[in-house]
Amino acid sequence: MLGQNLLLLLAVLPFLGAILAVTMPVGARNAEVLLAGGVMVAGLLGLAPLAGEVADGGVVARSIEWAPSLGLDMTLRLDGFSWLMLLLVYGIGLMVVIYARYYLSPDDPVPRFYGFLLAFAGAMAGMLMAGNIILMVVFWELTSLFSFLLIGYWHQNGAAREGARTALIVTGAGGLCLLMAMVLLGHAAGSYHLDDVLRAGDRVRAHPWYGWILGLFLIGAFTKSAQFPFHFWLPNAMAAPTPVSAYLHSATMVKAGVFLLVRFSPVLGGTSAWFWVVAGTGMATLLLGAVIATWRNDLKGLLAYSTISHLGLITALAGMGSGGAIVAAIFHIMNHAVFKASLFMAAGIIDHETGTRDMRRLSGLRHSMPRTAALAIVAAAAMAGVPLLNGFLSKEMFFAEAADWHNGTWLDNALPYIATLASVFSVAYSLRFIVSVFFGPPATDLPKEPHEPPTWMRRPVELLVAIVLLVGLWPAAMIGTVLHGGVLAVLGESTPYYSLALWHGFNVALMMSLTALVLGTAVYFVMAPRLSRANEAPGILSRIRGQQIFDRLMLAVTRRWPAQLYRILGSPRLQVQLRLIVLLSLGATAATLWGFAGLVPREWLQSFDATFALLWMAGIACAIGAAVQAKYHRFAALALLGGAGLVTAMTFAWLSAPDLAVTQILVEIMTTVLLLLGLRWLPKRLQEIPGDARLPARRRRAIDLVIASICGAGVAAIAFAVMTVPPGPTIGDWFRRNAYAEGGGTNAVNVILVDFRAFDTLGEITVLGIVALTCYALLRRFRPAPESVALPSQQTFNELPPLNCPREREAEREPTRHDLMMLIPSVIMQWMFPLTVALAMYLFLRGHDLPGGGFAGGVGFAIGLLLQYLATDVRFVESRITILPVRWIGLGLVIAVGTGMGSFLFGYPFMTAHAQYVTLPLIGQVPAATALIFDLGVFATVVGATVLIQIAIAHQSLRSARLRARESADGADAREEREHRQEEQQQQQEGV
Amino acid sequence: MELTLSLGIGVLVASGVWLALRPRTFQVIVGLALLSYGVNLFIFAMGRLVTGAAPIMPKGGFVNPERYADPVPQALVLTAIVISFATTALFMVVIMASRGLTGTDHVDGKERSS
């Protein structure tokens, strides 16, 4: 149990630390280091007690259900291999945290750095411990994301932004491939649990999808581990602060790819495809990386290509796949992490203390910084594979495996030669690192006077170099148990015998090592004078740049191809685009339903009602009339549209949907008023539009008429076919049976809305609120077209009283145009106000049992308010009623969500409703379901949203009144400023 | 009844689509309104047509679902009606703003040059 809780701690603690870290003040460097270091130490302490449990191939797991029906759960699982990787994550993490304290300048915002670093550690830990392969990909992508953020830490630097972007695109795309691979793999293996997948190797390899799974999986692993041809992101990522390079881009994150290769080699490996692709890519990367590294002038560039090369080595081992190769791969993952992290830190120290990383300028640093020099020389020697250091041991294993027989193909036979050749270059670049930086005459033109770094900046390097030495001298004692646990976790029963001894006698591997050391030294001293003059890469390689190819590809994908596609298909004209959409959906529907037997109607005339037919003749006439008149006779079209809406409402009433009928009628009123308000701001269309009667316009109309007729006929045919087929059992049966029993209401429609499917309704009213706020926001900066500013002719018969007269005088002012224009209607409308409100409340309250409810009630209430605006004018209404529609919306949503959350208090899931009846004096039995409170939220939101929209449009008249006033005046600056202030006051009144 | 309604739906949809493809903003907004009537009726019709069987359930006792109209399409359409009002409103505001900015009521924001 303790072990399982520790797993959770290991995965969650870094994230908690990250959240804490980002909340600290910008300059709190020491506090940040204490926090981050504390998290890393806690991680190490958490790992310690688990060592025993995983040492003999044991597994600690903890599972939290997430979406069990989909086979998804949050399983954390720790075995020897992930334990060993976690040791690197937390151990090197601790070193990096300390180192970065001295590396970062006081101007750098440390909370962001440590926050990202901790979050990365958490993502890495999660990836390593994920017991579900989908969860693994989630954390995998998180590591890419934090890597992106950390590379771009100095975002004022263009190279950092570029490098971060490249890294994110390459590793992110790889991650997507990996996701696909994992989905397929889980399907092929029959489970998404890592343990099951690891056992299903034979099944997966025999599966027809094996090729796809392997290909996508390898793209994911290769991009992350910077394998050829995806390696180019890693050198660009060197724009990151050096602690990041040491941690992410040499010790941990880039190891994720090879971790995955090793972990899944029992499942996907063992085939000849695996050998060719993985070993081939690994060897190519090993050689290419080593060669290019020799030519790099930048210290970090050299180390980056060296890292690529070493990752290639590990990949090649995973590709060989034999037991010994896996042992060597795991061993080299650890060794490389240790010596490469220390080398990066040493390079950072050199950069920090001299101001440059260019090996052509650096020289003779052993005089000014002897300790750092000694440390870096030991670490670089380990990189070269010099005996008595840890790098030598795993490289020997690699040589032994390369020389061993695998499948007898030419690649297999070439392995030892490629391995030796690559090692020659790795000796050469290590020598270059040592000789050009630390030996020779002291450099004179450095930006800074070199000297030793602060003691604690060197301590992490010292510790890591000590490990390099200790592991190199006494491998079995130092690391034997940990390595064995890791190997057992991967290979299980088939773990081979291996020996970690320093001396295996004069064998092939030793000969290869010695050859590489001798030849490498010779190559360096022969080539040295020429290296610094070459263009960072030998011969033809200097001209092929992965980055350039990538940039061209990105340019093509994001600019050129879309532009070409746009030239073929695109149009700036909305009509053309809409026609394309309509045709596409028509085609898609036709293709789906073509020849579908279920759509053959059973009876042609099931029932016929002459009155109903007559009703629809009117409806059809209205619809066609609206279509014809919408261009030149907009008011008529609006009236006809209302007619069609009315017929729709009557149809609902006729066909047993009273709720719909009520809502439709009410919304119809709102829509008509809305369009009327809007029409005020659109041009009058009484005269012919130029070119309207000409042939092109006629042809367009004819084509659209054909398209529209096909659409209409198709929809009619589908509707008819469905309606004449009996429904059979539907989900509606359950709702009908349980509306009262479960929802406590007899109106099944309302019970569905506010109880069974209340979550959907919550979404819908949220949309409504958003739309209303959007309308309001859009209109804040509304400027009417110049010709719409003038007062409509209907209003100009009367002399206009000054609109901006003070409020207190409003009551005793002269009769306004409204009073004169619509005196009788306005009196009726004012008197109707209480009645409308009462009707709305009635509709709302009875909703749960009878037709009505929050939607209908809300719209009704809004109509009541709107009528007041129509009856008098804006100022009159707003001086008497304070309507704050935005608050209505907010209150409604709060009520709805609050009701939903109320069920938490009683231990039920979100939105669980409770229903009962209470007896009130005088009124009698009243349904008191919590759903009613939810419906109140719906009601308030609907009122707020509809009122806000309508008022926002209505207020535009005030605006244009001000515009008119401004035009008549000379438009002096002072006046304009006052207008502006007024406008802002107005906006405040309208809104909050 | 089925035939009548499906014809009605067809005409509403056809008029709506035709108007949506027209160049003037007001035509498009009327078209969308007609289209939403058609689509709402279509969804509603998926619950089949019955008369005099509003889905108001008895309080308790055995419920025979076949005696009442299907409430599911009705619930769907009820929210759809309100949402289509909201989208119509949003569109109205957009075309008002577009008209103010561009000085034309053509959907492209400028008159066709040809």
Side-chain angles (χ1 to χ4, degrees):
Chain A
M1 199 57 222
L2 171 74
Q4 294 179 340
N5 287 335
L6 279 178
L7 287 192
L8 203 61
L9 179 87
L10 286 173
V12 173
L13 196 62
F15 287 114
L16 293 180
I19 294 168
L20 256 178
V22 291
T23 53
M24 286 190 184
V26 176
R29 308 212 296 168
N30 293 328
E32 290 282 353
V33 173
L34 279 179
L35 170 72
V39 169
M40 297 296 180
V41 170
L44 288 173
L45 290 177
L47 275 176
L50 294 166
E53 295 189 53
V54 298
D56 305 314
V59 171
V60 187
R62 182 193 170 110
S63 189
I64 304 157
E65 281 198 348
W66 179 19
S69 54
L70 296 172
L72 286 177
D73 41 23
M74 307 275 273
T75 309
L76 293 175
R77 149 190 202 289
L78 185 79
D79 61 12
F81 190 28
S82 36
W83 190 90
L84 170 164
M85 294 290 293
L86 280 173
L87 186 66
L88 292 180
V89 170
Y90 285 115
I92 296 186
L94 179 61
M95 302 295 114
V96 165
V97 165
I98 298 170
Y99 176 81
R101 158 69 180 82
Y102 298 94
Y103 179 84
L104 293 176
S105 87
D107 304 332
D108 291 322
V110 279
R112 191 151 57 85
F113 181 84
Y114 284 105
F116 290 161
L117 201 74
L118 283 173
F120 165 78
M124 197 67 203
M127 200 285 287
L128 294 170
M129 288 194 291
N132 180 298
I133 56 178
I134 302 294
L135 188 66
M136 183 183 268
V137 181
V138 172
F139 282 116
W140 174 280
E141 288 287 54
L142 275 182
T143 62
S144 293
L145 202 62
F146 289 116
S147 154
F148 165 77
L149 292 170
L150 282 167
I151 298 169
Y153 175 67
W154 286 320
H155 50 68
Q156 62 276 27
N157 175 353
R161 293 197 301 269
E162 277 295 300
R165 194 174 57 96
T166 310
L168 182 68
I169 293 173
V170 175
T171 56
L176 287 181
C177 291
L178 186 70
L179 176 62
M180 284 190 265
M182 289 304 188
V183 170
L184 293 178
L185 177 63
H187 197 82
S191 165
Y192 289 93
H193 289 281
L194 185 58
D195 288 308
D196 300 339
V197 173
L198 289 179
R199 277 194 294 270
D202 293 326
R203 217 173 125 186
V204 172
R205 280 188 294 268
H207 200 276
W209 293 349
Y210 174 69
W212 282 104
I213 297 174
L214 183 65
L216 292 166
F217 172 84
L218 289 182
I219 292 175
F222 288 171
T223 48
K224 197 76 155 188
S225 279
Q227 295 297 294
F228 178 78
F230 308 114
H231 62 280
F232 55 89
W233 71 264
L234 188 58
N236 290 326
M238 291 299 139
T242 303
V244 173
S245 309
Y247 191 35
L248 273 70
H249 304 125
S250 78
T252 55
M253 189 189 86
V254 290
K255 297 284 164 51
V258 288
F259 167 80
L260 216 61
L261 286 176
V262 172
R263 165 121 285 168
F264 283 89
S265 63
V267 187
L268 296 167
T271 59
S272 71
W274 172 275
F275 177 81
W276 276 96
V277 178
V278 180
T281 308
M283 290 314 268
T285 313
L286 166 68
L287 186 58
L288 203 75
V291 171
I292 297 179
T294 317
W295 264 264
R296 301 299 281 194
N297 295 321
D298 176 28
L299 272 182
K300 279 179 81 177
L302 182 149
L303 292 176
Y305 274 100
S306 155
T307 305
I308 291 173
S309 167
H310 279 273
L311 290 167
L313 187 154
I314 302 167
T315 304
L317 280 168
M320 295 174 206
S322 60
I326 296 295
V327 176
I330 298 176
F331 195 21
H332 200 66
I333 287 177
M334 303 174 71
N335 290 338
H336 176 256
V338 174
F339 69 67
K340 193 50 73 61
S342 62
L343 276 172
F344 265 112
M345 289 183 190
I349 291 175
I350 293 165
D351 187 14
H352 202 250
E353 304 305 332
T354 67
T356 179
R357 301 194 311 239
D358 191 334
M359 278 188 283
R360 287 169 300 187
R361 298 175 70 184
L362 293 165
S363 174
L365 286 185
R366 73 195 158 100
H367 301 292
S368 48
M369 34 203 322
R371 281 159 183 265
T372 310
L375 294 171
I377 289 169
V378 174
M383 175 164 77
V386 172
L388 303 184
L389 302 170
N390 67 352
F392 169 73
L393 295 169
S394 40
K395 211 158 196 178
E396 282 276 288
M397 287 183 169
F398 168 62
F399 284 146
E401 277 303 316
D404 210 5
W405 188 90
H406 297 95
N407 58 5
T409 53
W410 66 261
L411 178 63
D412 189 16
N413 293 329
L415 288 180
Y417 302 102
I418 304 173
T420 315
L421 185 62
S423 288
V424 168
F425 281 99
S426 108
V427 171
Y429 68 68
S430 305
L431 262 178
R432 186 176 181 208
F433 182 96
I434 296 169
V435 175
S436 67
V437 175
F438 298 110
F439 289 89
T444 47
D445 63 334
L446 295 175
K448 287 188 200 167
E449 188 60 35
H451 54 79
E452 285 286 352
T455 320
W456 274 96
M457 190 169 180
R458 215 174 49 224
R459 288 277 181 269
V461 191
E462 287 168 353
L463 185 71
L464 290 172
V465 170
I467 297 173
V468 166
L469 270 167
L470 291 173
V471 171
L473 290 171
W474 299 284
M478 286 300 298
I479 203 141
T481 348
V482 174
L483 179 63
H484 192 66
V487 172
L488 268 182
V490 178
L491 293 174
E493 300 289 308
S494 50
T495 304
Y497 170 77
Y498 61 91
S499 150
L500 280 180
L502 197 54
W503 180 251
H504 290 111
F506 278 107
N507 53 15
V508 185
L510 189 63
M511 296 315 292
M512 286 162 77
S513 275
L514 292 178
T515 314
L517 281 173
V518 174
L519 280 180
T521 315
V523 164
Y524 172 68
F525 283 108
V526 172
M527 305 272 289
R530 264 179 284 166
L531 285 177
S532 50
R533 270 178 283 126
N535 186 17
E536 299 250 305
I540 184 95
L541 279 178
S542 68
R543 260 170 272 149
I544 306 172
R545 291 276 165 84
Q547 180 64 35
Q548 277 176 9
I549 300 171
F550 172 77
D551 283 341
R552 284 210 199 111
L553 196 69
M554 288 317 294
L555 194 70
V557 170
T558 57
R559 298 293 290 277
R560 211 154 341 116
W561 294 348
Q564 280 169 2
L565 201 66
Y566 181 76
R567 266 199 293 281
I568 300 167
L569 286 175
S571 162
R573 299 220 313 268
L574 185 73
Q575 285 177 275
V576 180
Q577 296 168 17
L578 276 180
R579 197 174 296 143
L580 213 62
I581 293 175
V582 169
L583 285 175
L584 261 178
S585 41
L586 199 61
T589 317
T592 322
L593 295 177
W594 195 257
F596 180 58
L599 284 182
V600 178
R602 305 284 161 84
E603 287 171 69
W604 282 96
L605 273 181
Q606 225 170 17
S607 59
F608 186 80
D609 190 309
T611 326
F612 192 69
L614 215 58
L615 175 72
W616 267 103
M617 273 168 68
I620 287 172
C622 280
I624 294 175
V628 172
Q629 298 295 348
K631 191 160 202 174
Y632 292 118
H633 301 279
R634 300 184 159 181
F635 194 76
L638 195 54
L640 289 167
L641 178 71
L646 218 55
V647 171
T648 306
M650 286 164 81
T651 308
F652 287 140
W654 195 301
L655 297 169
S656 320
D659 276 290
L660 296 189
V662 171
T663 315
Q664 178 75 53
I665 290 264
L666 293 171
V667 168
E668 199 50 49
I669 296 170
M670 290 306 270
T671 310
T672 310
V673 172
L674 175 92
L675 294 182
L676 275 174
L677 284 172
L679 260 183
R680 158 82 176 82
W681 305 106
L682 295 177
K684 286 181 212 157
R685 284 271 174 233
L686 291 172
Q687 70 278 43
E688 181 92 343
I689 294 164
D692 210 31
R694 285 208 223 110
L695 191 63
R698 282 169 186 277
R699 204 184 57 222
R700 275 195 300 274
R701 284 198 289 269
I703 293 173
D704 288 344
L705 188 61
V706 173
I707 296 174
S709 307
I710 297 173
C711 286
V715 172
I718 298 173
F720 183 68
V722 173
M723 279 189 274
T724 49
V725 174
T730 67
I731 186 173
D733 298 344
W734 189 90
F735 287 127
R736 274 173 276 199
R737 283 209 191 89
N738 293 295
Y740 187 74
E742 302 270 327
T746 55
N747 181 359
V749 177
N750 187 268
V751 172
I752 291 177
L753 284 175
V754 300
D755 189 337
F756 293 142
R757 307 294 307 164
F759 203 51
D760 298 356
T761 311
L762 180 65
E764 266 140 358
I765 58 174
T766 312
V767 170
L768 202 62
I770 293 171
V771 168
L773 288 173
T774 313
C775 289
Y776 170 65
L778 276 172
L779 286 174
R780 278 175 72 110
R781 292 277 170 270
F782 174 69
R783 293 289 173 273
E787 71 267 25
S788 305
V789 174
L791 208 57
S793 57
Q794 292 86 340
Q795 294 183 12
T796 46
F797 72 95
N798 189 31
E799 191 57 39
L800 193 70
L803 264 173
N804 46 3
C805 64
R807 285 260 157 102
E808 55 272 17
R809 269 175 45 208
E810 209 165 34
E812 67 223 47
R813 67 183 178 176
E814 293 290 302
T816 68
R817 59 168 191 273
H818 262 291
D819 303 339
L820 298 173
M821 265 171 70
M822 323 197 289
L823 188 58
I824 293 166
S826 83
V827 169
I828 297 175
M829 284 191 265
Q830 287 186 41
W831 280 56
M832 285 295 282
F833 182 59
L835 272 179
T836 335
V837 172
L839 175 73
M841 296 317 293
Y842 172 66
L843 277 176
F844 165 67
L845 281 175
R846 69 182 218 150
H848 215 46
D849 283 345
L850 291 164
F855 281 108
V859 180
F861 194 85
I863 290 174
L865 289 172
L866 198 65
L867 281 178
Q868 298 316 299
Y869 277 84
L870 291 179
T872 57
D873 71 9
V874 176
R875 290 174 188 285
F876 180 83
V877 177
E878 284 178 359
S879 61
R880 281 159 184 79
I881 322 171
T882 317
I883 310 159
L884 302 165
V886 179
R887 291 204 191 159
W888 279 82
I889 297 176
L891 190 72
L893 287 175
V894 166
I895 292 175
V897 174
T899 320
M901 294 206 319
S903 53
F904 287 146
L905 293 180
F906 303 96
Y908 290 103
F910 190 54
M911 290 277 171
T912 313
H914 176 71
Q916 72 174 62
Y917 280 77
V918 291
T919 313
L920 289 184
L922 292 180
I923 300 173
Q925 287 234 315
V926 172
T930 58
L932 199 70
I933 308 174
F934 179 80
D935 214 13
L936 183 67
V938 175
F939 173 81
T941 314
V942 171
V943 171
T946 38
V947 169
L948 180 61
I949 294 170
Q950 304 278 24
I951 288 183
I953 298 180
H955 272 201
Q956 301 314 315
S957 312
L958 296 183
R959 290 266 178 87
S960 69
R962 279 200 296 277
L963 270 176
R964 278 196 298 278
R966 193 188 306 178
E967 268 170 19
S968 63
D970 53 6
D973 284 352
R975 189 186 175 85
E976 196 154 323
E977 204 174 356
R978 205 180 64 219
E979 294 284 340
H980 187 68
R981 229 179 11 252
Q982 270 185 356
E983 199 160 304
E984 268 173 358
Q985 280 171 359
Q986 188 65 49
Q987 279 161 3
Q988 278 166 5
Q989 264 177 21
E990 285 168 27
V992 195
Chain B
M1 204 114 95
E2 280 79 4
L3 192 65
T4 319
L5 186 59
S6 42
L7 280 178
I9 293 174
V11 171
L12 283 172
V13 169
S15 315
V17 170
W18 189 76
L19 277 177
L21 294 172
R22 301 274 51 80
R24 301 293 147 189
T25 48
F26 188 73
Q27 289 177 303
V28 178
I29 202 169
V30 172
L32 287 183
L34 286 175
L35 199 59
S36 64
Y37 294 149
V39 171
N40 285 346
L41 281 170
F42 180 82
I43 297 174
F44 169 70
M46 293 301 106
R48 309 301 186 277
L49 310 185
V50 282
T51 46
I56 307 294
M57 302 296 136
K59 295 191 175 184
F62 175 75
V63 178
N64 179 13
E66 290 181 6
R67 286 184 49 207
Y68 302 94
D70 191 347
V72 177
Q74 296 195 17
L76 290 174
V77 171
L78 189 87
T79 48
I81 292 172
V82 180
I83 292 284
S84 44
F85 163 71
T87 48
T88 308
L90 184 60
F91 190 58
M92 189 72 229
V93 169
V94 169
I95 68 177
M96 277 170 67
S98 154
R99 154 96 173 125
L101 279 174
T102 63
T104 165
D105 66 339
H106 195 284
V107 286
D108 293 336
K110 58 176 188 240
E111 293 292 329
R112 189 185 293 270
S113 51
S114 65

